[in-house]
Amino acid sequence: MIQRIQTVYLVLASLLSGGLIFVLNLWTSAEGINFFVIDSFYSESKLLMIASSLFFVSAILTFIAIFKFKNRQLQFVLGRLAILTNFILLGILVYFSQNLSGETEVSEKGIGLLIPIFTIVLVVLANKAIKKDEELVKSVDRLR
């Protein structure tokens, strides 16, 4: 059923990964230029291009998981894949944020670096609710 709490969590996770990346910057350079995820496609770094595409992969996985409410096992697996994707993304972003602090000039990190963490938390909450629903269905089937 699409009106369950896990749908709300998955919608929020999808909006975070796919929508707020255009609003929240990842970091600000020493010159005062904000660096957004979309700017990664124009950089020379392949790792940054992979990171920006992982944001979209995460958004697509959580969006697809919303409509797989009839197949809770697949929905749970898609949630796990989204969590794994966000952990990889988080590792890449931590790597780049550590390289930023080693600059000779001062740059500041943006709030956009926290998007994968919030997405992981929301998908974990959604998977918890999916598992709870699955256990409820199994317990009702035993009573029949």
Side-chain angles (χ1 to χ4, degrees), residues 1-11 125-126 129-130 133:
M1 292 183 279
I2 206 158
Q3 72 268 18
R4 307 291 296 176
I5 189 68
Q6 61 261 26
T7 305
V8 174
Y9 293 141
L10 290 171
V11 165
L125 289 172
I130 292 166
D133 279 354

Side-chain angles (χ1 to χ4, degrees), residues 84-122:
L84 180 65
T85 303
N86 279 301
F87 271 123
I88 294 169
L89 177 62
L90 187 62
I92 293 171
L93 291 177
V94 165
Y95 171 76
F96 272 102
S97 70
Q98 292 300 317
N99 283 343
L100 283 177
S101 64
E103 295 176 338
T104 57
E105 300 175 22
V106 177
S107 63
E108 64 183 61
K109 281 92 177 153
I111 192 76
L113 292 174
L114 297 176
I115 290 175
I117 296 172
F118 293 138
T119 305
I120 289 169
V121 169
L122 287 170

